[in-house]
Amino acid sequence: MEEQRETLQRIISTLANKNDEIHNFIDMLNQTIQNVQINSSNVISELDDEFDGLYSVLDEMKGSMASAIQQEQARKIQALQNQLSQCSNALESSEELLELAAQSLDIKDPVKFSEAARQIKDRVTVASAFRISLKPEVSDSMTHLMVDFTQERHALQTVKFLPVPKAPVIDLAACLVIDNCITVSWRMPEEDSRVDHFVLEYRKTNFDGLARVKDEQSWELIDYIKATEYTLSGLKFDTKYMNVRVRACNKAVAGEYSDPVTLETKAFVFNLDNTSSHLNLKVEDSYVEWEPTGGKGQEKVKGKENKGSGASPKRTSIGGKATVKGSRDRFAGESYTVLGNNAIESGQHYWEVRAQKDCKSYSVGVAYKTLGKYDQLGKTNISWCIHVNNWLQNTFAAKHNNKTKTLDIPVPDRLGVYCNFDGGQLTFYNAISKVPLYTFRIKFTQPLLPAFMIWCGGLAVSTGLQVPSAVKTLQKNENGLSGSTGSLNNIAQ
């Protein structure tokens, strides 16, 4: 019966997962239908705008050409009217001269006749009727202003929708996730010389299956990529996966997106736990700052916060890691300590810490969850740390179980912390050069919490970081970090 119960439980789990997938797919289909409606309305609106623009150009051209015809008409009519006026004047003058000549024929006196004939001859010689052209200055033809839109009409009749680039294909084997960078590589399914550039979109997600419509982050966009590969750098891996997709664009239009690809972005993520931190510490998600009056200002609520608290915090499992809930005593006394809220129970993890330049004293390391409220980092057998002291005298040391190993090296601007839980290794690095500073060799027997102690200053913590490739290379090449280990390595219990 127990075996049947287990089988039934697996069937139920499988059906529940399948139902979840179908629900998600239905949501996606509904969203796609809505997008089709919206996009159809958008392209119809753009089509109207294009045709309205074409109509506007044609109307403008028609008006311009009609104006040219009217101007040519006015020019020709004016020229013909001027010629008509000249001819009318010449005709009137000629008729007067003709009448005068006819009257001169009736003169009987030879002397007077000769004088009249001479005058008429002189007037005829200069008469405008013999000097004007009897040919129209302009023709009545307007054919030089006719148009033939046969070619344009044919071109308009052959207008089609723009050629849309095909969706690229992401080459998953060539994609690379390393050092909090993602390199995405893709290709076109066939050669397309009209492709001008590509658009890459990415978004964080905690789902490795089909994209979810609900509870998903919005896509972030990288535009005008000329190559078929792009590297996203400086990412914080605070989700399990990253969706990426690409589309090609020509000079006029963008094509369809490629099928989205899901890349794993596994990294250790935690926030600082302000529910158990010392009251003199001002704690935000990834920043802690020492405040000398913090304890006095919150002394009244201290009792309430500690009431009913035990020494060990409760935890729940999120993504396979233990997450600390606020159920332990606040650190007190001179233990100006704050812990991370996500415990390490297995695997390799990495985070970085940067101190303010005027920070007088701080410690960075790890501790078991059973660290006491008055315990200082490195002074018990359940905590390991690097300690920096810039007060009165400058010291840089590794500390564990109240023993100190002075480090005769400069304090880096940023510390890297590498924890290999299963391999029993805690190594501190110069986070910029990735040079190892010190290594503890321990067989860890309990879950670990990132731990920080600060006095007079502040610390900024960077999480969501992959183990750097330089650190991985060092781990492969060296079975232990020569020159960086010391007498504290083998004293852990």
Side-chain angles (χ1 to χ4, degrees):
M1 182 174 177
E2 285 300 322
E3 183 178 349
Q4 291 178 333
R5 186 183 298 276
E6 291 179 2
T7 302
L8 184 58
Q9 288 288 353
R10 287 196 296 270
I11 293 173
I12 291 173
S13 177
T14 300
L15 288 174
N17 290 335
K18 178 57 65 176
N19 289 348
D20 185 54
E21 290 180 7
I22 294 174
H23 277 299
N24 176 55
F25 187 63
I26 290 173
D27 289 339
M28 182 184 296
L29 289 176
N30 288 327
Q31 184 67 51
T32 303
I33 291 172
Q34 183 178 353
N35 290 341
V36 168
Q37 293 171 336
I38 294 173
N39 292 335
S40 297
S41 298
N42 289 339
V43 295
I44 289 175
S45 177
E46 291 179 4
L47 182 67
D48 289 339
D49 291 341
E50 289 294 328
F51 271 94
D52 288 343
L54 185 59
Y55 298 151
S56 176
V57 170
L58 291 173
D59 286 340
E60 185 177 345
M61 289 180 62
K62 179 181 178 181
S64 177
M65 288 182 167
S67 176
I69 293 172
Q70 290 170 351
Q71 290 176 6
E72 180 68 359
Q73 172 189 327
R75 184 187 70 80
K76 285 193 171 187
I77 289 177
Q78 183 64 46
L80 293 171
Q81 286 180 340
N82 291 340
Q83 195 174 14
L84 178 61
S85 177
Q86 292 173 2
C87 289
S88 297
N89 292 336
L91 179 60
E92 182 179 355
S93 176
S94 180
E95 287 178 346
E96 290 179 357
L97 187 58
L98 177 61
E99 184 178 356
L100 179 61
Q103 292 176 355
S104 298
L105 291 174
D106 295 333
I107 299 175
K108 303 299 184 181
D109 187 341
V111 175
K112 290 182 179 179
F113 180 79
S114 296
E115 180 64 22
R118 185 185 61 77
Q119 290 179 356
I120 290 172
K121 181 180 177 182
D122 291 342
R123 290 181 63 181
V124 168
T125 302
V126 298
S128 58
F130 294 97
R131 291 185 291 109
I132 62 173
S133 172
L134 298 181
K135 179 181 178 181
E137 289 186 6
V138 295
S139 72
D140 60 356
S141 174
M142 298 292 283
T143 56
H144 62 292
L145 293 178
M146 294 181 65
V147 295
D148 182 4
F149 285 148
T150 301
Q151 292 183 348
E152 289 78 4
R153 188 178 296 108
H154 177 72
L156 287 173
Q157 289 172 343
T158 58
V159 168
K160 299 179 180 179
F161 293 110
L162 290 170
V164 179
K166 293 187 177 181
V169 178
I170 295 179
D171 185 357
L172 187 58
C175 294
L176 185 64
V177 181
I178 188 171
D179 290 343
N180 283 82
C181 298
I182 293 179
T183 298
V184 185
S185 182
W186 62 88
R187 58 180 172 80
M188 293 299 293
E190 59 186 44
E191 187 67 26
D192 188 348
S193 60
R194 291 171 296 190
V195 171
D196 178 69
H197 65 275
F198 297 92
V199 176
L200 170 68
E201 291 190 356
Y202 66 97
R203 68 179 177 188
K204 298 178 179 180
T205 179
N206 283 311
F207 305 101
D208 62 346
L210 294 172
R212 306 270 176 143
V213 176
K214 299 177 180 178
D215 303 323
E216 286 285 15
Q217 298 186 30
S218 59
W219 291 96
E220 296 189 54
L221 181 145
I222 306 293
D223 205 349
Y224 299 106
I225 301 172
K226 294 295 185 178
T228 56
E229 182 179 282
Y230 189 84
T231 298
L232 299 164
S233 58
L235 300 171
K236 180 178 181 180
F237 289 168
D238 50 3
T239 58
K240 295 180 180 179
Y241 305 98
M242 186 85 76
N243 295 142
V244 293
R245 63 184 185 182
V246 183
R247 64 176 173 177
C249 305
N250 56 31
K251 292 289 187 180
V253 66
E256 292 287 337
Y257 282 105
S258 65
D259 291 334
V261 168
T262 301
L263 302 173
E264 187 176 17
T265 55
K266 185 185 296 184
F268 183 50
V269 180
F270 66 88
N271 289 325
L272 301 178
D273 179 21
N274 62 2
T275 64
S276 61
S277 58
H278 195 287
L279 287 171
N280 279 96
L281 300 181
K282 179 183 178 182
V283 178
E284 298 178 0
D285 288 343
S286 58
Y287 183 77
V288 55
E289 185 174 7
W290 185 80
E291 289 187 335
T293 61
K296 295 179 181 179
Q298 302 182 54
E299 194 69 35
K300 293 182 179 180
V301 299
K302 181 177 178 182
K304 292 183 179 180
E305 291 173 344
N306 291 333
K307 185 177 182 181
S309 298
S312 300
K314 295 180 181 179
R315 61 181 178 88
T316 58
S317 179
I318 296 180
K321 297 185 179 70
T323 301
V324 177
K325 298 297 181 182
S327 57
R328 60 167 292 146
D329 288 340
R330 279 193 180 275
F331 289 99
E334 294 185 355
S335 179
Y336 302 110
T337 302
V338 60
L339 301 175
N341 67 349
N342 205 359
I344 300 172
E345 296 183 337
S346 63
Q348 302 178 50
H349 308 283
Y350 180 83
W351 61 96
E352 294 181 353
V353 182
R354 180 177 54 82
Q356 289 181 342
K357 290 185 177 181
D358 59 349
C359 192
K360 289 185 171 57
S361 177
Y362 62 93
S363 298
V364 176
V366 296
Y368 290 155
K369 296 185 294 181
T370 53
L371 186 68
K373 62 186 288 188
Y374 296 107
D375 291 341
Q376 297 184 23
L377 294 184
K379 291 190 176 183
T380 68
N381 65 348
I382 60 172
S383 63
W384 300 260
C385 72
I386 286 283
H387 176 70
V388 178
N389 182 23
N390 296 318
W391 176 248
L392 298 180
Q393 59 181 2
N394 295 332
T395 58
F396 185 31
K399 300 177 71 174
H400 169 65
N401 203 17
N402 210 24
K403 294 183 179 181
T404 300
K405 172 67 175 179
T406 300
L407 305 179
D408 190 18
I409 49 178
V411 179
D413 292 334
R414 203 162 73 236
L415 283 170
V417 184
Y418 167 73
C419 179
N420 183 345
F421 188 92
D422 303 315
Q425 179 181 338
L426 177 68
T427 300
F428 297 89
Y429 285 87
N430 181 323
I432 299 173
S433 66
K434 300 300 183 291
V435 172
L437 306 173
Y438 193 84
T439 294
F440 290 101
R441 301 287 184 181
I442 321 104
K443 182 179 180 181
F444 296 117
T445 59
Q446 300 179 38
L448 292 169
L449 291 171
F452 311 88
M453 197 164 70
I454 179 75
W455 179 70
C456 289
L459 296 176
V461 183
S462 298
T463 71
L465 303 176
Q466 290 185 304
V467 177
S469 57
V471 173
K472 290 182 177 179
T473 300
L474 283 172
Q475 299 306 312
K476 289 180 180 179
N477 294 340
E478 302 178 16
N479 294 322
L481 302 174
S482 59
S484 64
T485 59
S487 60
L488 304 183
N489 293 336
N490 300 316
I491 61 175
Q493 302 297 323

